[in-house]
Amino acid sequence: MAEEGFKRKLTAILSADVLGYSRLMRDDEEATVRDISSHRVLISDIVLQHHGRVVDSPGDNILAEFASVVDAVNGAIKIQDEIKRSNPDTPKDRRMEFRIGINLGDVIEEEERIYGDGVNIAARVEGLAAGGGIAISGIVYDSIKDKVSLLSLIHISEPTRLRRKSRMPSSAWK
């Protein structure tokens, strides 16, 4: 049942977070805040270059959306390449490695934010990625497999089919 008054759309969702962020904060909060801030600028610039927009960035998470799945994947690859390129100058225990998850899904758009299962699945897919890696949902893989060069796909782990558990009817709780 659709809620009246909400704008819905299909969008490619990129969710990224820093592997080991809590440890980085515990070890040196000020340096971590400086580092995450500079990484946010880098990531935001790359998202814009790939025709996307950053929707939100709480804590160590960055949520972005793209009209094109190909743009989202190419943007993610560029993000990981640029971060990897900058890491050799950073001591190993201070390096920020991002995990990135990408999903294509229906979302509710309210003002500048997006909500819904599409976003939730992107966050779950992100959790499957290794540090410095990219994980994609099956629908994203199906959308890009013939469009993104195989050389670029080395950054991406095998697609994982996620199944959503069916919800119990509210009458089951009575």
Side-chain angles (χ1 to χ4, degrees):
M1 174 192 261
E3 293 290 324
E4 291 186 35
F6 287 116
K7 178 183 173 188
R8 291 187 159 282
K9 65 181 180 179
L10 185 65
T11 193
I13 305 135
L14 180 149
S15 180
D17 80 349
V18 178
L19 185 65
Y21 183 74
S22 296
R23 179 194 55 79
L24 291 168
M25 285 295 282
R26 183 183 64 241
D27 292 351
D28 189 338
E29 286 180 333
E30 291 181 8
T32 301
V33 170
R34 279 192 300 277
D35 290 347
I36 193 74
S37 295
S38 66
H39 281 83
R40 273 197 193 109
V41 169
L42 171 74
I43 292 170
S44 295
D45 288 347
I46 294 170
V47 166
L48 285 173
Q49 290 166 17
H50 288 84
H51 314 290
R53 75 177 182 100
V54 172
V55 176
D56 202 1
S57 58
D60 68 324
N61 183 265
I62 295 171
L63 183 66
E65 71 169 340
F66 300 79
S68 162
V69 178
V70 171
D71 285 343
V73 171
N74 284 331
I77 292 166
K78 178 79 170 177
I79 288 166
Q80 295 296 34
D81 284 346
E82 291 299 317
I83 291 172
K84 183 180 273 188
R85 192 180 340 262
S86 70
N87 267 342
D89 299 334
T90 307
K92 190 171 181 163
D93 66 330
R94 294 298 313 159
R95 289 182 186 165
M96 287 197 171
E97 289 187 313
F98 281 79
R99 300 180 301 179
I100 297 177
I102 303 172
N103 183 44
L104 173 65
D106 188 67
V107 298
I108 293 173
E109 183 177 41
E110 185 181 45
E111 297 179 13
E112 296 295 313
R113 295 182 179 245
I114 57 174
Y115 303 92
D117 281 344
V119 174
N120 296 338
I121 292 170
R124 287 188 188 123
V125 170
E126 166 209 295
L128 300 173
I134 302 164
I136 60 175
S137 64
I139 193 169
V140 170
Y141 179 79
D142 292 343
S143 298
I144 67 158
K145 65 184 174 188
D146 297 325
K147 296 177 178 89
V148 176
S149 90
L150 292 176
L151 183 60
S152 297
L153 291 176
I154 61 173
H155 292 280
I156 300 173
S157 56
E158 283 294 311
T160 302
R161 299 281 179 188
L162 299 176
R163 291 201 175 130
R164 184 174 169 202
K165 290 185 178 180
S166 62
R167 295 187 180 140
M168 294 180 67
S170 58
S171 61
W173 295 101
K174 294 181 181 175

